[in-house]
Amino acid sequence: MAERGERGRPWRSVRLRAAGAAVAVLAVVLVIGASLALRYAREAFPVTDVTAAAQSQANFLAERLASGQEAGELVEEFADSDDLIQILSPTGLVIAASDDLEGADPIVSDAWPLQLVLREDSDDDEDSDSDRDEALFTMVNQVIPADAQNNAGVTVLVGRSTEDPELSVRVVLVMFVVAIPTILVVVGLLTWWLTGRAMRPVELMRREVEEISSSSLDRRVAHPGGRDEIASLATTMNSMLARLDSAQAAQRQFISDASHELRSPLAAIRQNAEVAATYPGALGDDELARLTLAETLRMQRLVESLLILTRSDERRLHIPPTPVDLDDLVLAEAHRLRSSGTVTVETADVSAAQVRGSEGLLGQVLRNLVDNAARHARSTVTLSLTEDASGVTLTVDDDGAGIPEADRERVCDRFVRLDEARARDDGGSGLGLAIVRDIVAAHGGKVVIGAAPSGGARVRVFLPARL
């Protein structure tokens, strides 16, 4: 259980990062939105508008007093108003005041408008400061001009509550203070849950792949269905498992075939040695040495071929970008084959051609192709070499039985023989064309097998002029 918990931590980490990223991004967006909303709320309900309305009311009351109306009657007339009203004499004494300012000292300030905090008892039986409510008012003044016919020099003070605009801003602020954390928590939990739900098929695939070993590469992960990224991951993973299964099967077949090929020369050497030991004089020293040397050379060629193929599989074939005169290699192989006297070699169509690559490996390609053609030819092997803007084309034809069209692709596979008996008698291991294909591919070229005009096999090698 502890091991499973450790293995599950990466998914929890992914879920945590996803939830954290979602919350962080949303928090930035919400904070910016809340700031803009608060700014809009303050602009929509500005305190300056309240001050202007209070000033307008003060001007109106001053005009009424200047027209001769008494202060007490005027204040009584506006008794139902929520405004604070205080009327001061020219000497600064309170002449009349609204109920909320009754008995209060004259309100005096050097700067108007004035922010006034009015404290009211919320409980008649309690007189502690903790049981008092505070209300914020903006106070303005208006002095009746000295040349007025009535109440000259009298000052009218009007206070209007700023509770409505401030309340709107406070409501918006409280809403954001409560709503933003709530939204972030909900989004975080939802993202955590959704991420876990999305990762569930991946976790199931991980567990299935974890149970697949080298002995069970034929197993496949369950496809979740659909065409999303998870389904693509399952398809890709199954394709990878199929390739691994195929590669392992090919490797096992390769080892089996290699072991079988090595067994033949070893068995021949052992047989000759046993005959020489059991029946002294049955095989002369020269004959025993000749037979042993032939089988040893056969085994050496096989080991060298296996080494080349192994390096090719590991992509360790060293291809230096050095110029190689391919026509010289072709003519050298033609001379070697003519010296054997087994077949006629035609080289009339060999022209100058140069590529970049490994001279040794390209020589191996020519040696394998020429030997293969000589083994299957009745009388003639034809070599041709041409060069154009796209690269170099090497063609090796023989006048033998040819290769059936159905076998032209697989003949380049390893240990494939179309004529088992003749291939073994002639020392062939079924690796020659496989080596040719791998070396040519390492040089950026390709091998195409077809039919020669004489009815035999035609092997064409295409190599780029530059690597």
Side-chain angles (χ1 to χ4, degrees), residues 33-70:
S35 301
L36 295 176
L38 287 174
R39 180 177 179 182
Y40 174 77
R42 292 186 182 277
E43 292 177 353
F45 306 100
V47 177
T48 54
D49 290 353
V50 178
T51 303
Q55 187 64 56
S56 177
Q57 180 74 337
N59 295 339
F60 175 74
L61 295 178
E63 291 176 359
R64 295 281 294 276
L65 289 173
S67 65
Q69 188 172 0
E70 295 205 5

PDB file of all heavy atoms in Angstrom, residues 33-70:
ATOM      1  N   GLY A  33     -11.307  42.461 -11.155  1.00  0.00           N
ATOM      2  CA  GLY A  33     -12.721  42.772 -11.354  1.00  0.00           C
ATOM      3  C   GLY A  33     -13.335  43.471 -10.151  1.00  0.00           C
ATOM      4  O   GLY A  33     -14.131  44.412 -10.299  1.00  0.00           O
ATOM      5  N   ALA A  34     -12.966  43.012  -8.939  1.00  0.00           N
ATOM      6  CA  ALA A  34     -13.509  43.648  -7.730  1.00  0.00           C
ATOM      7  C   ALA A  34     -13.034  45.086  -7.607  1.00  0.00           C
ATOM      8  O   ALA A  34     -13.803  45.988  -7.230  1.00  0.00           O
ATOM      9  CB  ALA A  34     -13.088  42.843  -6.506  1.00  0.00           C
ATOM     10  N   SER A  35     -11.772  45.322  -7.943  1.00  0.00           N
ATOM     11  CA  SER A  35     -11.254  46.704  -7.881  1.00  0.00           C
ATOM     12  C   SER A  35     -12.003  47.618  -8.846  1.00  0.00           C
ATOM     13  O   SER A  35     -12.380  48.746  -8.492  1.00  0.00           O
ATOM     14  CB  SER A  35      -9.756  46.697  -8.209  1.00  0.00           C
ATOM     15  OG  SER A  35      -9.051  45.880  -7.312  1.00  0.00           O
ATOM     16  N   LEU A  36     -12.229  47.111 -10.058  1.00  0.00           N
ATOM     17  CA  LEU A  36     -12.973  47.925 -11.033  1.00  0.00           C
ATOM     18  C   LEU A  36     -14.402  48.131 -10.583  1.00  0.00           C
ATOM     19  O   LEU A  36     -14.976  49.232 -10.761  1.00  0.00           O
ATOM     20  CB  LEU A  36     -12.933  47.233 -12.398  1.00  0.00           C
ATOM     21  CG  LEU A  36     -11.547  47.120 -13.054  1.00  0.00           C
ATOM     22  CD1 LEU A  36     -11.643  46.337 -14.358  1.00  0.00           C
ATOM     23  CD2 LEU A  36     -10.959  48.505 -13.304  1.00  0.00           C
ATOM     24  N   ALA A  37     -15.019  47.110  -9.975  1.00  0.00           N
ATOM     25  CA  ALA A  37     -16.403  47.245  -9.514  1.00  0.00           C
ATOM     26  C   ALA A  37     -16.511  48.250  -8.375  1.00  0.00           C
ATOM     27  O   ALA A  37     -17.449  49.051  -8.320  1.00  0.00           O
ATOM     28  CB  ALA A  37     -16.936  45.880  -9.078  1.00  0.00           C
ATOM     29  N   LEU A  38     -15.559  48.222  -7.450  1.00  0.00           N
ATOM     30  CA  LEU A  38     -15.573  49.190  -6.348  1.00  0.00           C
ATOM     31  C   LEU A  38     -15.372  50.608  -6.869  1.00  0.00           C
ATOM     32  O   LEU A  38     -16.023  51.558  -6.395  1.00  0.00           O
ATOM     33  CB  LEU A  38     -14.474  48.836  -5.340  1.00  0.00           C
ATOM     34  CG  LEU A  38     -14.744  47.602  -4.463  1.00  0.00           C
ATOM     35  CD1 LEU A  38     -13.515  47.280  -3.632  1.00  0.00           C
ATOM     36  CD2 LEU A  38     -15.944  47.851  -3.540  1.00  0.00           C
ATOM     37  N   ARG A  39     -14.503  50.707  -7.838  1.00  0.00           N
ATOM     38  CA  ARG A  39     -14.286  52.041  -8.414  1.00  0.00           C
ATOM     39  C   ARG A  39     -15.555  52.535  -9.101  1.00  0.00           C
ATOM     40  O   ARG A  39     -15.929  53.714  -8.960  1.00  0.00           O
ATOM     41  CB  ARG A  39     -13.140  51.981  -9.413  1.00  0.00           C
ATOM     42  CG  ARG A  39     -12.818  53.304 -10.072  1.00  0.00           C
ATOM     43  CD  ARG A  39     -11.628  53.163 -11.002  1.00  0.00           C
ATOM     44  NE  ARG A  39     -11.338  54.427 -11.663  1.00  0.00           N
ATOM     45  CZ  ARG A  39     -10.377  54.594 -12.553  1.00  0.00           C
ATOM     46  NH1 ARG A  39      -9.588  53.567 -12.856  1.00  0.00           N
ATOM     47  NH2 ARG A  39     -10.180  55.769 -13.103  1.00  0.00           N
ATOM     48  N   TYR A  40     -16.218  51.651  -9.801  1.00  0.00           N
ATOM     49  CA  TYR A  40     -17.462  52.036 -10.461  1.00  0.00           C
ATOM     50  C   TYR A  40     -18.528  52.386  -9.435  1.00  0.00           C
ATOM     51  O   TYR A  40     -19.294  53.340  -9.622  1.00  0.00           O
ATOM     52  CB  TYR A  40     -17.955  50.888 -11.344  1.00  0.00           C
ATOM     53  CG  TYR A  40     -19.314  51.132 -11.948  1.00  0.00           C
ATOM     54  CD1 TYR A  40     -19.475  51.980 -13.035  1.00  0.00           C
ATOM     55  CD2 TYR A  40     -20.445  50.526 -11.401  1.00  0.00           C
ATOM     56  CE1 TYR A  40     -20.729  52.224 -13.572  1.00  0.00           C
ATOM     57  CE2 TYR A  40     -21.706  50.762 -11.929  1.00  0.00           C
ATOM     58  CZ  TYR A  40     -21.842  51.599 -13.024  1.00  0.00           C
ATOM     59  OH  TYR A  40     -23.091  51.835 -13.548  1.00  0.00           O
ATOM     60  N   ALA A  41     -18.585  51.614  -8.323  1.00  0.00           N
ATOM     61  CA  ALA A  41     -19.589  51.893  -7.294  1.00  0.00           C
ATOM     62  C   ALA A  41     -19.359  53.269  -6.668  1.00  0.00           C
ATOM     63  O   ALA A  41     -20.309  54.017  -6.406  1.00  0.00           O
ATOM     64  CB  ALA A  41     -19.544  50.808  -6.227  1.00  0.00           C
ATOM     65  N   ARG A  42     -18.104  53.586  -6.433  1.00  0.00           N
ATOM     66  CA  ARG A  42     -17.818  54.921  -5.855  1.00  0.00           C
ATOM     67  C   ARG A  42     -18.150  56.035  -6.839  1.00  0.00           C
ATOM     68  O   ARG A  42     -18.607  57.115  -6.451  1.00  0.00           O
ATOM     69  CB  ARG A  42     -16.344  55.003  -5.449  1.00  0.00           C
ATOM     70  CG  ARG A  42     -16.005  54.104  -4.273  1.00  0.00           C
ATOM     71  CD  ARG A  42     -14.575  54.313  -3.814  1.00  0.00           C
ATOM     72  NE  ARG A  42     -14.225  53.416  -2.723  1.00  0.00           N
ATOM     73  CZ  ARG A  42     -14.509  53.641  -1.444  1.00  0.00           C
ATOM     74  NH1 ARG A  42     -15.150  54.755  -1.105  1.00  0.00           N
ATOM     75  NH2 ARG A  42     -14.160  52.779  -0.517  1.00  0.00           N
ATOM     76  N   GLU A  43     -17.909  55.753  -8.134  1.00  0.00           N
ATOM     77  CA  GLU A  43     -18.246  56.777  -9.126  1.00  0.00           C
ATOM     78  C   GLU A  43     -19.749  56.876  -9.341  1.00  0.00           C
ATOM     79  O   GLU A  43     -20.279  57.946  -9.639  1.00  0.00           O
ATOM     80  CB  GLU A  43     -17.548  56.456 -10.445  1.00  0.00           C
ATOM     81  CG  GLU A  43     -16.041  56.610 -10.376  1.00  0.00           C
ATOM     82  CD  GLU A  43     -15.372  56.212 -11.674  1.00  0.00           C
ATOM     83  OE1 GLU A  43     -16.098  55.701 -12.567  1.00  0.00           O
ATOM     84  OE2 GLU A  43     -14.148  56.400 -11.800  1.00  0.00           O
ATOM     85  N   ALA A  44     -20.453  55.746  -9.186  1.00  0.00           N
ATOM     86  CA  ALA A  44     -21.900  55.756  -9.380  1.00  0.00           C
ATOM     87  C   ALA A  44     -22.623  56.424  -8.214  1.00  0.00           C
ATOM     88  O   ALA A  44     -23.699  57.006  -8.388  1.00  0.00           O
ATOM     89  CB  ALA A  44     -22.409  54.324  -9.562  1.00  0.00           C
ATOM     90  N   PHE A  45     -22.051  56.328  -7.000  1.00  0.00           N
ATOM     91  CA  PHE A  45     -22.674  56.945  -5.818  1.00  0.00           C
ATOM     92  C   PHE A  45     -21.666  57.843  -5.121  1.00  0.00           C
ATOM     93  O   PHE A  45     -21.225  57.571  -4.014  1.00  0.00           O
ATOM     94  CB  PHE A  45     -23.151  55.859  -4.843  1.00  0.00           C
ATOM     95  CG  PHE A  45     -24.054  54.844  -5.463  1.00  0.00           C
ATOM     96  CD1 PHE A  45     -23.564  53.613  -5.845  1.00  0.00           C
ATOM     97  CD2 PHE A  45     -25.388  55.141  -5.688  1.00  0.00           C
ATOM     98  CE1 PHE A  45     -24.393  52.678  -6.426  1.00  0.00           C
ATOM     99  CE2 PHE A  45     -26.222  54.201  -6.266  1.00  0.00           C
ATOM    100  CZ  PHE A  45     -25.725  52.965  -6.638  1.00  0.00           C
ATOM    101  N   PRO A  46     -21.291  58.975  -5.746  1.00  0.00           N
ATOM    102  CA  PRO A  46     -20.254  59.817  -5.162  1.00  0.00           C
ATOM    103  C   PRO A  46     -20.770  60.627  -3.978  1.00  0.00           C
ATOM    104  O   PRO A  46     -21.920  61.083  -3.964  1.00  0.00           O
ATOM    105  CB  PRO A  46     -19.853  60.735  -6.330  1.00  0.00           C
ATOM    106  CG  PRO A  46     -21.078  60.811  -7.179  1.00  0.00           C
ATOM    107  CD  PRO A  46     -21.751  59.486  -7.045  1.00  0.00           C
ATOM    108  N   VAL A  47     -19.905  60.777  -2.966  1.00  0.00           N
ATOM    109  CA  VAL A  47     -20.256  61.594  -1.809  1.00  0.00           C
ATOM    110  C   VAL A  47     -20.381  63.060  -2.198  1.00  0.00           C
ATOM    111  O   VAL A  47     -21.133  63.827  -1.579  1.00  0.00           O
ATOM    112  CB  VAL A  47     -19.187  61.395  -0.707  1.00  0.00           C
ATOM    113  CG1 VAL A  47     -19.474  62.292   0.505  1.00  0.00           C
ATOM    114  CG2 VAL A  47     -19.143  59.939  -0.278  1.00  0.00           C
ATOM    115  N   THR A  48     -19.667  63.484  -3.246  1.00  0.00           N
ATOM    116  CA  THR A  48     -19.744  64.891  -3.666  1.00  0.00           C
ATOM    117  C   THR A  48     -21.160  65.262  -4.094  1.00  0.00           C
ATOM    118  O   THR A  48     -21.583  66.419  -3.933  1.00  0.00           O
ATOM    119  CB  THR A  48     -18.770  65.143  -4.825  1.00  0.00           C
ATOM    120  OG1 THR A  48     -19.036  64.197  -5.877  1.00  0.00           O
ATOM    121  CG2 THR A  48     -17.333  64.973  -4.364  1.00  0.00           C
ATOM    122  N   ASP A  49     -21.900  64.297  -4.648  1.00  0.00           N
ATOM    123  CA  ASP A  49     -23.290  64.585  -5.016  1.00  0.00           C
ATOM    124  C   ASP A  49     -24.123  64.854  -3.769  1.00  0.00           C
ATOM    125  O   ASP A  49     -25.029  65.707  -3.778  1.00  0.00           O
ATOM    126  CB  ASP A  49     -23.885  63.412  -5.785  1.00  0.00           C
ATOM    127  CG  ASP A  49     -23.281  63.276  -7.184  1.00  0.00           C
ATOM    128  OD1 ASP A  49     -22.517  64.184  -7.575  1.00  0.00           O
ATOM    129  OD2 ASP A  49     -23.563  62.268  -7.844  1.00  0.00           O
ATOM    130  N   VAL A  50     -23.844  64.145  -2.685  1.00  0.00           N
ATOM    131  CA  VAL A  50     -24.567  64.377  -1.428  1.00  0.00           C
ATOM    132  C   VAL A  50     -24.245  65.766  -0.890  1.00  0.00           C
ATOM    133  O   VAL A  50     -25.134  66.490  -0.414  1.00  0.00           O
ATOM    134  CB  VAL A  50     -24.189  63.284  -0.401  1.00  0.00           C
ATOM    135  CG1 VAL A  50     -24.897  63.529   0.925  1.00  0.00           C
ATOM    136  CG2 VAL A  50     -24.531  61.911  -0.941  1.00  0.00           C
ATOM    137  N   THR A  51     -22.981  66.137  -0.993  1.00  0.00           N
ATOM    138  CA  THR A  51     -22.575  67.475  -0.526  1.00  0.00           C
ATOM    139  C   THR A  51     -23.266  68.566  -1.334  1.00  0.00           C
ATOM    140  O   THR A  51     -23.735  69.583  -0.785  1.00  0.00           O
ATOM    141  CB  THR A  51     -21.051  67.616  -0.635  1.00  0.00           C
ATOM    142  OG1 THR A  51     -20.425  66.580   0.114  1.00  0.00           O
ATOM    143  CG2 THR A  51     -20.594  68.969  -0.116  1.00  0.00           C
ATOM    144  N   ALA A  52     -23.347  68.384  -2.659  1.00  0.00           N
ATOM    145  CA  ALA A  52     -24.011  69.379  -3.505  1.00  0.00           C
ATOM    146  C   ALA A  52     -25.493  69.492  -3.163  1.00  0.00           C
ATOM    147  O   ALA A  52     -26.062  70.615  -3.134  1.00  0.00           O
ATOM    148  CB  ALA A  52     -23.829  68.998  -4.966  1.00  0.00           C
ATOM    149  N   ALA A  53     -26.140  68.335  -2.897  1.00  0.00           N
ATOM    150  CA  ALA A  53     -27.562  68.374  -2.534  1.00  0.00           C
ATOM    151  C   ALA A  53     -27.777  69.079  -1.206  1.00  0.00           C
ATOM    152  O   ALA A  53     -28.735  69.852  -1.028  1.00  0.00           O
ATOM    153  CB  ALA A  53     -28.111  66.940  -2.481  1.00  0.00           C
ATOM    154  N   ALA A  54     -26.857  68.841  -0.231  1.00  0.00           N
ATOM    155  CA  ALA A  54     -26.966  69.507   1.071  1.00  0.00           C
ATOM    156  C   ALA A  54     -26.766  71.016   0.918  1.00  0.00           C
ATOM    157  O   ALA A  54     -27.466  71.819   1.572  1.00  0.00           O
ATOM    158  CB  ALA A  54     -25.940  68.919   2.031  1.00  0.00           C
ATOM    159  N   GLN A  55     -25.815  71.408   0.055  1.00  0.00           N
ATOM    160  CA  GLN A  55     -25.578  72.831  -0.164  1.00  0.00           C
ATOM    161  C   GLN A  55     -26.796  73.493  -0.799  1.00  0.00           C
ATOM    162  O   GLN A  55     -27.153  74.636  -0.459  1.00  0.00           O
ATOM    163  CB  GLN A  55     -24.343  73.007  -1.050  1.00  0.00           C
ATOM    164  CG  GLN A  55     -23.897  74.452  -1.213  1.00  0.00           C
ATOM    165  CD  GLN A  55     -23.442  75.052   0.116  1.00  0.00           C
ATOM    166  OE1 GLN A  55     -22.555  74.508   0.762  1.00  0.00           O
ATOM    167  NE2 GLN A  55     -24.074  76.173   0.539  1.00  0.00           N
ATOM    168  N   SER A  56     -27.426  72.795  -1.726  1.00  0.00           N
ATOM    169  CA  SER A  56     -28.634  73.328  -2.345  1.00  0.00           C
ATOM    170  C   SER A  56     -29.736  73.528  -1.321  1.00  0.00           C
ATOM    171  O   SER A  56     -30.454  74.537  -1.337  1.00  0.00           O
ATOM    172  CB  SER A  56     -29.097  72.385  -3.461  1.00  0.00           C
ATOM    173  OG  SER A  56     -30.298  72.834  -4.045  1.00  0.00           O
ATOM    174  N   GLN A  57     -29.853  72.571  -0.387  1.00  0.00           N
ATOM    175  CA  GLN A  57     -30.867  72.695   0.674  1.00  0.00           C
ATOM    176  C   GLN A  57     -30.539  73.868   1.595  1.00  0.00           C
ATOM    177  O   GLN A  57     -31.424  74.634   2.009  1.00  0.00           O
ATOM    178  CB  GLN A  57     -30.932  71.387   1.472  1.00  0.00           C
ATOM    179  CG  GLN A  57     -31.935  71.378   2.610  1.00  0.00           C
ATOM    180  CD  GLN A  57     -33.377  71.266   2.133  1.00  0.00           C
ATOM    181  OE1 GLN A  57     -33.698  71.607   0.985  1.00  0.00           O
ATOM    182  NE2 GLN A  57     -34.247  70.816   3.017  1.00  0.00           N
ATOM    183  N   ALA A  58     -29.262  74.063   1.905  1.00  0.00           N
ATOM    184  CA  ALA A  58     -28.863  75.185   2.774  1.00  0.00           C
ATOM    185  C   ALA A  58     -29.170  76.516   2.103  1.00  0.00           C
ATOM    186  O   ALA A  58     -29.644  77.476   2.754  1.00  0.00           O
ATOM    187  CB  ALA A  58     -27.383  75.070   3.112  1.00  0.00           C
ATOM    188  N   ASN A  59     -28.928  76.613   0.819  1.00  0.00           N
ATOM    189  CA  ASN A  59     -29.233  77.849   0.088  1.00  0.00           C
ATOM    190  C   ASN A  59     -30.729  78.133   0.109  1.00  0.00           C
ATOM    191  O   ASN A  59     -31.161  79.298   0.269  1.00  0.00           O
ATOM    192  CB  ASN A  59     -28.737  77.746  -1.347  1.00  0.00           C
ATOM    193  CG  ASN A  59     -27.230  77.650  -1.429  1.00  0.00           C
ATOM    194  OD1 ASN A  59     -26.527  78.044  -0.494  1.00  0.00           O
ATOM    195  ND2 ASN A  59     -26.725  77.124  -2.544  1.00  0.00           N
ATOM    196  N   PHE A  60     -31.513  77.088  -0.038  1.00  0.00           N
ATOM    197  CA  PHE A  60     -32.965  77.252  -0.029  1.00  0.00           C
ATOM    198  C   PHE A  60     -33.450  77.763   1.326  1.00  0.00           C
ATOM    199  O   PHE A  60     -34.280  78.684   1.415  1.00  0.00           O
ATOM    200  CB  PHE A  60     -33.638  75.927  -0.394  1.00  0.00           C
ATOM    201  CG  PHE A  60     -35.137  75.951  -0.291  1.00  0.00           C
ATOM    202  CD1 PHE A  60     -35.904  76.607  -1.240  1.00  0.00           C
ATOM    203  CD2 PHE A  60     -35.781  75.341   0.784  1.00  0.00           C
ATOM    204  CE1 PHE A  60     -37.291  76.629  -1.143  1.00  0.00           C
ATOM    205  CE2 PHE A  60     -37.161  75.366   0.882  1.00  0.00           C
ATOM    206  CZ  PHE A  60     -37.924  76.011  -0.078  1.00  0.00           C
ATOM    207  N   LEU A  61     -32.924  77.158   2.411  1.00  0.00           N
ATOM    208  CA  LEU A  61     -33.336  77.588   3.755  1.00  0.00           C
ATOM    209  C   LEU A  61     -32.892  79.029   4.018  1.00  0.00           C
ATOM    210  O   LEU A  61     -33.618  79.817   4.664  1.00  0.00           O
ATOM    211  CB  LEU A  61     -32.749  76.647   4.800  1.00  0.00           C
ATOM    212  CG  LEU A  61     -33.256  75.189   4.768  1.00  0.00           C
ATOM    213  CD1 LEU A  61     -32.551  74.366   5.827  1.00  0.00           C
ATOM    214  CD2 LEU A  61     -34.777  75.145   4.987  1.00  0.00           C
ATOM    215  N   ALA A  62     -31.700  79.387   3.531  1.00  0.00           N
ATOM    216  CA  ALA A  62     -31.219  80.766   3.735  1.00  0.00           C
ATOM    217  C   ALA A  62     -32.114  81.755   3.014  1.00  0.00           C
ATOM    218  O   ALA A  62     -32.400  82.853   3.536  1.00  0.00           O
ATOM    219  CB  ALA A  62     -29.779  80.885   3.247  1.00  0.00           C
ATOM    220  N   GLU A  63     -32.576  81.391   1.814  1.00  0.00           N
ATOM    221  CA  GLU A  63     -33.481  82.283   1.083  1.00  0.00           C
ATOM    222  C   GLU A  63     -34.795  82.453   1.829  1.00  0.00           C
ATOM    223  O   GLU A  63     -35.374  83.559   1.879  1.00  0.00           O
ATOM    224  CB  GLU A  63     -33.726  81.717  -0.314  1.00  0.00           C
ATOM    225  CG  GLU A  63     -32.511  81.771  -1.220  1.00  0.00           C
ATOM    226  CD  GLU A  63     -32.772  81.105  -2.558  1.00  0.00           C
ATOM    227  OE1 GLU A  63     -33.899  80.602  -2.747  1.00  0.00           O
ATOM    228  OE2 GLU A  63     -31.852  81.067  -3.405  1.00  0.00           O
ATOM    229  N   ARG A  64     -35.280  81.363   2.443  1.00  0.00           N
ATOM    230  CA  ARG A  64     -36.537  81.462   3.201  1.00  0.00           C
ATOM    231  C   ARG A  64     -36.363  82.380   4.417  1.00  0.00           C
ATOM    232  O   ARG A  64     -37.250  83.190   4.730  1.00  0.00           O
ATOM    233  CB  ARG A  64     -36.953  80.062   3.660  1.00  0.00           C
ATOM    234  CG  ARG A  64     -37.307  79.102   2.512  1.00  0.00           C
ATOM    235  CD  ARG A  64     -38.728  79.396   1.994  1.00  0.00           C
ATOM    236  NE  ARG A  64     -39.727  79.118   2.964  1.00  0.00           N
ATOM    237  CZ  ARG A  64     -40.277  77.903   3.202  1.00  0.00           C
ATOM    238  NH1 ARG A  64     -39.896  76.860   2.441  1.00  0.00           N
ATOM    239  NH2 ARG A  64     -41.192  77.751   4.122  1.00  0.00           N
ATOM    240  N   LEU A  65     -35.231  82.242   5.093  1.00  0.00           N
ATOM    241  CA  LEU A  65     -35.001  83.113   6.250  1.00  0.00           C
ATOM    242  C   LEU A  65     -34.832  84.570   5.826  1.00  0.00           C
ATOM    243  O   LEU A  65     -35.299  85.498   6.503  1.00  0.00           O
ATOM    244  CB  LEU A  65     -33.759  82.635   7.009  1.00  0.00           C
ATOM    245  CG  LEU A  65     -33.897  81.307   7.772  1.00  0.00           C
ATOM    246  CD1 LEU A  65     -32.555  80.875   8.322  1.00  0.00           C
ATOM    247  CD2 LEU A  65     -34.924  81.444   8.912  1.00  0.00           C
ATOM    248  N   ALA A  66     -34.176  84.780   4.695  1.00  0.00           N
ATOM    249  CA  ALA A  66     -33.987  86.150   4.217  1.00  0.00           C
ATOM    250  C   ALA A  66     -35.295  86.785   3.807  1.00  0.00           C
ATOM    251  O   ALA A  66     -35.439  88.022   3.816  1.00  0.00           O
ATOM    252  CB  ALA A  66     -33.016  86.160   3.056  1.00  0.00           C
ATOM    253  N   SER A  67     -36.265  85.947   3.457  1.00  0.00           N
ATOM    254  CA  SER A  67     -37.573  86.480   3.058  1.00  0.00           C
ATOM    255  C   SER A  67     -38.451  86.822   4.254  1.00  0.00           C
ATOM    256  O   SER A  67     -39.557  87.328   4.097  1.00  0.00           O
ATOM    257  CB  SER A  67     -38.302  85.472   2.175  1.00  0.00           C
ATOM    258  OG  SER A  67     -38.604  84.283   2.911  1.00  0.00           O
ATOM    259  N   GLY A  68     -37.985  86.501   5.465  1.00  0.00           N
ATOM    260  CA  GLY A  68     -38.714  86.905   6.661  1.00  0.00           C
ATOM    261  C   GLY A  68     -39.277  85.771   7.478  1.00  0.00           C
ATOM    262  O   GLY A  68     -39.858  86.014   8.549  1.00  0.00           O
ATOM    263  N   GLN A  69     -39.121  84.510   7.060  1.00  0.00           N
ATOM    264  CA  GLN A  69     -39.668  83.405   7.833  1.00  0.00           C
ATOM    265  C   GLN A  69     -38.819  83.181   9.071  1.00  0.00           C
ATOM    266  O   GLN A  69     -37.609  83.315   9.042  1.00  0.00           O
ATOM    267  CB  GLN A  69     -39.718  82.131   6.996  1.00  0.00           C
ATOM    268  CG  GLN A  69     -40.441  80.986   7.668  1.00  0.00           C
ATOM    269  CD  GLN A  69     -40.659  79.793   6.740  1.00  0.00           C
ATOM    270  OE1 GLN A  69     -40.243  79.855   5.573  1.00  0.00           O
ATOM    271  NE2 GLN A  69     -41.315  78.755   7.249  1.00  0.00           N
ATOM    272  N   GLU A  70     -39.482  82.828  10.162  1.00  0.00           N
ATOM    273  CA  GLU A  70     -38.771  82.624  11.402  1.00  0.00           C
ATOM    274  C   GLU A  70     -38.054  81.277  11.390  1.00  0.00           C
ATOM    275  O   GLU A  70     -38.503  80.307  10.798  1.00  0.00           O
ATOM    276  CB  GLU A  70     -39.738  82.692  12.578  1.00  0.00           C
ATOM    277  CG  GLU A  70     -40.348  84.068  12.747  1.00  0.00           C
ATOM    278  CD  GLU A  70     -40.781  84.316  14.173  1.00  0.00           C
ATOM    279  OE1 GLU A  70     -40.502  83.420  15.002  1.00  0.00           O
ATOM    280  OE2 GLU A  70     -41.351  85.364  14.421  1.00  0.00           O
TER     281      GLU A  70
END
